[in-house]
Amino acid sequence: MRNLKCAFWGVLALLSLLWLVAEPSVFQSASFFDIRTLMMQVTGIIAIGCMSLAMAVALRPRWPEAWFGGLDKMYRLHKWLGIAALVVAIAHWLWAQGPKWAVGWGWLERPMRGDRPPIEDPLQAYLLSLRGSAEGVGEWTFYAFVLLIALALIHYVPYRLFYKTHRLLAVAYLALVFHTVVLIKFSYWTSPVGWLTATLLVYGTCAAAIVLLRRVGANRQVKGKILSLRYYSGVRALETEIAVPQGWPGHKPGQFAFATSDVAEGAHPYTIASAWHPESPRISFITKELGDHTGRLREKLRVGQNVKVEGPYGCFTFDDDCTHQIWIGAGIGITPFVARMKHMALQKAAPDWPLGQTADLFHSTVDVDEEALANLAADAQSAEVRLHLWVDARDGRLTAERIRAAVPKWREASIWFCGPIGFGEALKRDFAAQGFPVAQRFHQELFAMR
């Protein structure tokens, strides 16, 4: 999370600083309308910069995953950038429209404009001729952008609608690229802020084209076929086993993949719930009925159906040198730990984890399915993992204090949490208050992709 915050605030600071270098006169502006012109420039640059980077993250690039801690963290950055772009774009719009309203209401007097000096640069003259069109495009695209971001942030909007409308942001972005290129101060293009803005616009434009052509992650997609389906009614979860005979590079336990069973629904992320056997190339997902899409999977999927699988992604891979690990899987958050235990049982003769490393698994659940719990207990026994089953109605809420009581050597352990984000944050605060180094040894999967 530290790298995530550094990247986010670093982007805002860098764009602002480079703009100040290009526009030192901001501190000498004599009139309100001079300040208005400058504020429109800086807010426009920051807004389009955030949008460009959000478009780049939408491509799900693999190379920055390790630094950010996984694609789940990168999607949080994507969300932050989108919200920042929205807030700054609103400020940009207010600087553009507010003074016009104030003049109309008689609160401000528009300054007299003298004759403008002739423009000798043909490119600058051409861009100036497009100014009216760029302003109109920018205003109407802004309204569409606000609506599309609102649809993305409102979780009550069904995923199917979110998927279809969110792609339209790529169209809105391309319109705002035109708006930016025409209206940015021409002298900026020869300064560092202009170079950086141009780079971001080029990269963002390429990303938008890839999104519109539906080619995101295309080189990491493989064809699969559903081999089996098993429904656990007590926990309303569906286990899907998929054969991926060609192209799948293998995965580590704790990673996730995007699966597409319906083109209209698009790709959905699921944690992989199986170990990897190159000689038997299959992967399994366990999905809980939590929303409009997952609630219909049991009716829509069938054995023999073709699906697309993309990945693997994520850095929640249990890699550390601690002699002991504490695993906490809340609800469907148990999935990465199932994969880890299957992997440990498979690799018991030749472990690829530190010699002597042990684990305690805490599974907190509201719903109970005896078959699912029996499978979990069998996996824990095969992997020699100590299982602590916590049924809320029977045992009360699982707390950090109860975890510490069950694991006396918790100070020397690392903690791996997957489940509701609020629950994870509460545990993290509690352990931090006890002096546990959460920044280094508390690992949390942020499995919220919108």
Side-chain angles (χ1 to χ4, degrees):
M1 288 295 291
R2 181 179 300 173
N3 289 349
L4 203 66
K5 293 177 181 178
C6 287
F8 174 73
W9 292 110
V11 166
L12 299 182
L14 179 61
L15 288 169
S16 301
L17 179 62
L18 292 181
W19 176 78
L20 284 173
V21 171
E23 198 64 81
S25 62
V26 65
F27 300 109
Q28 303 168 357
S29 300
S31 70
F32 171 81
F33 281 92
D34 288 338
I35 295 175
R36 173 199 182 221
T37 299
L38 294 173
M39 289 301 99
M40 288 177 61
Q41 289 291 321
V42 68
T43 53
I45 288 172
I46 293 175
I48 199 66
C50 289
M51 280 186 265
S52 300
L53 289 171
M55 289 301 308
V57 175
L59 297 184
R60 302 196 275 269
R62 292 291 303 274
W63 61 268
E65 262 203 284
W67 192 77
F68 282 115
L71 184 62
D72 56 311
K73 313 297 190 304
M74 291 167 59
Y75 264 96
R76 175 161 287 199
L77 177 62
H78 174 79
K79 182 176 180 178
W80 289 355
L81 288 169
I83 294 173
L86 174 63
V87 171
V88 180
I90 291 173
H92 179 79
W93 177 78
L94 288 174
W95 276 110
Q97 300 298 326
K100 295 179 182 178
W101 301 334
V103 169
W105 298 332
W107 295 355
L108 286 176
E109 183 177 347
R110 187 183 300 276
M112 297 295 295
R113 291 182 178 178
D115 294 334
R116 293 181 177 178
I119 299 175
E120 299 180 356
D121 189 301
L123 177 58
Q124 185 178 2
Y126 174 69
L127 293 175
L128 183 62
S129 70
L130 298 175
R131 185 178 185 89
S133 299
E135 289 176 344
V137 167
E139 181 177 356
W140 288 105
T141 303
F142 165 76
Y143 301 140
F145 176 72
V146 171
L147 175 62
L148 293 172
I149 291 292
L151 290 174
L153 294 176
I154 300 172
H155 285 209
Y156 292 109
V157 175
Y159 188 91
R160 178 189 291 264
L161 179 60
F162 159 77
Y163 171 72
K164 291 180 178 179
T165 58
H166 204 57
R167 290 177 61 246
L168 295 176
L169 280 169
V171 178
Y173 172 79
L174 293 176
L176 292 172
V177 168
F178 167 71
H179 175 82
T180 301
V181 170
V182 172
L183 296 180
I184 193 172
K185 191 173 180 178
F186 193 74
S187 62
Y188 289 172
W189 294 118
T190 57
S191 69
V193 70
W195 305 336
L196 178 58
T197 301
T199 302
L200 292 174
L201 292 178
V202 170
Y203 199 93
T205 299
C206 293
I210 292 172
V211 169
L212 291 173
L213 293 173
R214 300 190 179 188
R215 298 295 295 170
V216 175
N219 62 339
R220 296 185 292 275
Q221 295 175 355
V222 299
K223 295 180 180 179
K225 180 176 290 188
I226 297 177
L227 295 177
S228 67
L229 297 165
R230 177 183 293 181
Y231 184 68
Y232 300 98
S233 58
V235 290
R236 297 177 293 111
L238 179 68
E239 182 176 3
T240 307
E241 185 181 29
I242 302 172
V244 282
Q246 294 181 344
W248 186 252
H251 59 269
K252 293 182 178 181
Q255 291 190 301
F256 64 92
F258 289 84
T260 305
S261 57
D262 183 349
V263 176
E265 283 281 356
H268 285 254
Y270 305 110
T271 300
I272 301 170
S274 58
W276 175 243
H277 306 253
E279 66 281 1
S280 179
R282 303 175 181 183
I283 61 176
S284 296
F285 299 119
I286 300 177
T287 54
K288 188 174 178 68
E289 295 175 348
L290 294 174
D292 60 300
H293 173 71
T294 52
R296 299 194 308 269
L297 279 180
R298 185 161 58 108
E299 302 170 359
K300 298 180 66 174
L301 299 183
R302 66 184 186 279
V303 174
Q305 180 178 345
N306 293 323
V307 296
K308 281 194 302 185
V309 183
E310 175 195 333
Y313 295 100
C315 298
F316 192 81
T317 53
F318 305 93
D319 297 325
D320 65 34
D321 297 326
C322 294
T323 57
H324 192 72
Q325 294 184 338
I326 298 173
W327 304 345
I328 307 166
I332 196 61
I334 192 62
T335 309
F337 306 107
V338 171
R340 177 63 172 178
M341 290 188 295
K342 292 183 181 298
H343 174 79
M344 291 175 69
L346 179 69
Q347 296 291 122
K348 189 178 296 185
D352 55 1
W353 56 91
L355 185 64
Q357 187 180 73
T358 56
D360 276 81
L361 169 60
F362 293 82
H363 177 42
S364 173
T365 180
V366 175
D367 303 316
V368 175
D369 185 288
E370 295 300 335
E371 183 182 3
L373 293 180
N375 291 341
L376 181 65
D379 286 335
Q381 184 176 4
S382 298
E384 298 180 359
V385 169
R386 187 182 175 200
L387 175 62
H388 306 261
L389 181 60
W390 217 273
V391 180
D392 287 8
R394 182 191 68 196
D395 306 307
R397 289 182 58 82
L398 178 63
T399 63
E401 183 179 357
R402 288 177 166 179
I403 293 171
R404 290 192 292 268
V407 187
K409 295 185 178 180
W410 59 272
R411 291 188 182 276
E412 290 76 41
S414 60
I415 299 175
W416 298 78
F417 174 88
C418 186
I421 292 176
F423 182 27
E425 292 298 325
L427 291 176
K428 183 187 293 186
R429 288 193 299 270
D430 195 308
F431 274 98
Q434 297 297 319
F436 187 84
V438 293
Q440 294 77 34
R441 288 196 269 134
F442 192 104
H443 308 275
Q444 182 177 1
E445 182 86 303
L446 300 177
F447 211 71
M449 301 299 177
R450 60 174 291 196

